[in-house]
Amino acid sequence: MTIVYLAWAAKVHDTLQRHVRDEPVDMLVAYPALKQFLKARNTFNISRWCLDSGAYSVWNSGKSINLADYNAACKDVDADEVFGLDVIQNPEGTRRNLEKQWEAGIDAIPTFHCGSDWKYLKWACQRPKIAVGSRMKRKAQWLREVFRRIHPKKVHGFAMSSRKALDTVPFHSVDATSWILGPQALGLWAGFTGRQIYLGSRGASTKDVWAEVLEYKRRATYAKARWAKAFEAMEARDA
């Protein structure tokens, strides 16, 4: 299976509420937006959801996240999966954070970032599932090397929900922000052709982006069929 978590933001309310009787969606919620999500979640049809620290966005803004506060939130919610609190550009700091989370009884998923020493990949693989992240535009070769070293480990790909990424390696899960940012911020839609195309309007007509939800569901279905044998190996390893 491949789970495609759609990134949650306040602007998705209209779409999710309009389609509450349609197929359920899987959501990724960043810690800074957690309170908003919890207030509204009962008005949506959600199948699974995961909690992410949002460390990269917070770091980009020059701020930081307190580990004790994040741990408290992790313990207080019913998220299906929780991602660990990274220290951006500091794999050793990330390791310290994750080990503190594990000691606290939080089954946090560690992330291996492109550019980090391979020893941190080996360290992360002590857990049942890991995540990978890369800011490289051309990352296929790196992804293949990661999977060559660790398959059949379950892997989440941060911001790796493109058709190309899903065709490259057997991700257990990925997440997407483009489903909402593409139409609302850039006028780019993937739901009609499978590839992002510019359709212009970014105003009132973008309140309902259900076409994008359906596109990412199609991608999940494709990946499930494309990597069926790989997924069987993952499940057998965990049996």
Side-chain angles (χ1 to χ4, degrees), residues 13-142:
H13 282 193
D14 285 338
T15 294
L16 297 182
Q17 289 177 346
R18 289 182 185 187
H19 294 273
V20 68
R21 297 185 182 280
D22 291 319
E23 297 178 65
V25 297
D26 301 310
M27 304 293 303
L28 177 145
V29 181
Y31 172 60
L34 179 61
K35 290 182 179 179
Q36 285 183 319
F37 168 76
L38 293 176
K39 288 180 181 179
R41 64 173 294 187
N42 290 334
T43 65
F44 309 146
N45 186 4
I46 295 176
S47 176
R48 295 171 56 91
W49 73 281
C50 63
L51 177 62
D52 177 49
S53 69
Y56 183 80
S57 297
V58 172
W59 174 80
N60 238 4
S61 68
K63 300 178 181 179
S64 61
I65 296 173
N66 181 273
L67 179 60
D69 292 341
Y70 185 56
N71 282 351
C74 292
K75 291 181 177 181
D76 194 44
V77 298
D78 62 348
D80 294 282
E81 296 186 298
V82 171
F83 293 99
L85 178 57
D86 289 351
V87 181
I88 306 303
Q89 297 182 347
N90 184 347
E92 193 60 36
T94 295
R95 178 161 67 177
R96 288 194 297 269
N97 274 357
L98 267 294
E99 289 178 349
K100 288 178 181 178
Q101 291 191 274
W102 299 336
E103 289 172 2
I106 299 168
D107 189 19
I109 298 171
T111 300
F112 176 70
H113 292 278
C114 183
S116 296
D117 191 289
W118 290 109
K119 69 180 182 181
Y120 291 104
L121 177 62
K122 183 177 180 179
W123 161 79
C125 282
Q126 66 184 286
R127 308 302 289 187
K129 181 173 179 177
I130 73 166
V132 295
S134 173
R135 308 303 296 180
M136 297 170 56
K137 289 185 177 180
R138 297 180 179 179
K139 55 178 75 77
Q141 184 176 352
W142 178 76

Side-chain angles (χ1 to χ4, degrees), residues 186-198:
L186 302 172
L188 295 173
W189 294 75
F192 302 103
T193 65
R195 300 176 60 185
Q196 283 192 327
I197 57 173
Y198 179 67

